[in-house]
Amino acid sequence: MVVPNTATAASNPADPNKVIHWAVEAPDDGLDMVKTVNYYSGVFAESIFETLLTYDYLARPAKLIPGTAEAMPEVSNSGRTYVIHIKKGIYFAPDPAFKGVRRELTAQDYAYTFKRFVDPQNRSPAAGLLEGKIVGMDALEKQAKKTGKFDYDAPVEGLQTPDRYTLRITLNQPDYDFLYVLAFTAYGAQAREAVDFYGALTNVHPVGTGPYMLSQYVPRSKIVLVANPEYRGFTWDFKSSGGEDAAYDKQLIKDMQGKKMPQVGRVEINIIEEEQSRWLAFQGKQLDFDKLPESVAPKVMNGTALKPEFTDQNIGLYRQAEPELTYTYFNYHDPVVGGTSLEKNALRRAIAMSYNTRQEISLIRNNQAAEAQMMIPVGVVGHDPDYRRSYGYDIDLANKLLDHFGYKRGADGYRTTPDGKPLMIKIASQPSAKDQSYAEIWKQGLDKIGIRVDFVVSNFADNLKAATECKLMIWNSAWIADFPEGDNFMQLLYGPNTGQGNNGCYTSDAFDALYVKARATPPGPERNAIYLQMNRQMEADTAVLTQVSRTRSWLIRPWVKGFKQHPILHQNWQYLDVEKH
C-alpha cells in the first residue's frame, strides 16, 4: 500500500456522494477504546483512530504492515526494545479541541495513549495487553493508585520520544506478540487535548487521524461517519496471496487497482438487532452488504453457492471461516456455580453437558458453523485440528454426576444443592429471536438434568458491562481474534485479566502458570504444546463450554467494489468503491 508522507487540507479523495449503508446486530458502548472491549465499538473506532501497525488488506494468512509507522519497528536488545519512526504529515481530524489549528500526529500521542490504558481511573478492560510490560510503567500506575492522580507528564523509562516522530519502547522482558499489540485497534492514537476537552464525553466525541470522523451518533440506534478531510489518502495497490481466494482476488484487483483511496465519503450504520429485520433491509436494497443471517441460509444457499435468484441479481458472495469462538462461561466468583470445590465443578460440568451444541448448529445456525473443540479457533496460531475436548453433550453422565455429588431431586423433579437449598441458575440473554432459541436449547437440556433456570434478559452492552464486573452467573459470549495468535484467546482465562476480558473471573494457579510460561516461549511447537495443556486445565476446572466457530457468508450488492472481509480488521470502508446505481 503506497501512502504519501505529506498531507494538505482537504486531501482526502473521498466522494461525499458515495455512501455505504450497513447494519450491525448489537450496539456499541462508546467510542473511547480505552474504556471498552465491545466488538462493535471496535468496528467503528477502527476507521477513526490509526495504529502504528495494521494489516495487509488481501494477504492471507493475516500479515502485519506499517500503519502510521514509516516501516516495521526496529527490534533490538534481545527483543526488548522497539524503535518506531512515525510518518510525517499525518493530521488529526479538525475538531474544536484544537482551536482552529491543524494538529499533526506525533510520537507523544502514542505515548499518551498507552499511558491512558494503565491510568487506574480509566479502569481499562484492555489494560492487560500493556500492564507489566513497559519498563517503568507499573511504577507510574502504582503511584497513581496511591495519590489518586495519574501523572501523564512523568517520564517513563520504557516509553520515550527522543524526537517528534520517534517512539522508543523498552519492555521488561521479550514479548513475542508485541507487534500485534501495536496493531490492536484500541491503541490507535488519541490527542491529549481532545481527551481533556471532552472529558467524560470522550466516548461520544472520538478524534483521530483515520479516514473517517464521527458525524452523527444516536446511542443504540445509528452512527454516521464522514470522510476526514485531513486524511492523506493512499493508492489501492494490494496483491493476492493466491490459494482459495485467487479467483475472487483477481476480479477485486481488476476493479480497484490504482484508485486513490478512500472513495467512499459517507458511511451510515444502523443497529438492527433482529436477523430477520436485517435480512429484509438487505433484500430491500437498504444495505449494501451484510452477513447472511444463519436463519435464512437454506433459502439463499445451495451448499456453498448462492441460489440462482440471487446470482441473477448479480449479488456477490464471499465466504470465510472466521477466526472466532462462541462459548459459555461460568462466573467463578458466583456463590451458586463458582468456586473450586469438587461439587461446584461437578455442577458446572453437568450444566455444560446438558447443552446440545450440535442442535444449535443444525437448528439455529443452519449448519453455518462448526463445533469448537478448543479455545483457539481455526485460522489462529495454536489451533490443533485433531484436538477433542474431554466433555460434550451427555445427559446420562450429567445426571450421574449430580447424583454422586448430592444434588438431589425433589418431588417436582428439580434438584437442590448438597445442603438442601433450592437450586436455581441464571443465564444472561438478549432480547432477540436467536437468543430465545438458545434459551430453548438450554431449557430442554437443563430440564432433563433437573436444574431450574431463569433467563435474565438485557441488551448486549449492559450485559457486557455487568460481565466485566463479575455480576453475571452464566453468559454466552463470543470472541473474534484481535490478532491471529493463541494468546489472544487464552488471555480470556488468565486470572489477572479478571475485569479485562476474563469475564468468567476464572482463577487457576495451574492455568495462570502455564499462561505465563507460554508467553515466555517463542512461537512454535513448544508454545503450541503449552496451549494444549492450558486447554486441558480449563476443561478440568470446567471454566467454559466451547461451542462453535462460524462460517460467514457475506452478500455484496453489485455496485460495491473491492469488498473482502479481513480476518482481523473489522471494517473495510476505506478499501471500497461504490458505483452509481
Side-chain angles (χ1 to χ4, degrees), residues 556-570:
I556 309 107
R557 287 289 174 186
W559 51 79
V560 176
K561 303 300 179 182
F563 182 94
K564 183 175 183 178
Q565 188 62 28
H566 194 274
I568 305 299
L569 299 175
H570 302 314

Side-chain angles (χ1 to χ4, degrees), residues 1-12:
M1 181 172 68
V2 180
V3 180
N5 281 336
T6 60
T8 57
S11 61
N12 193 325

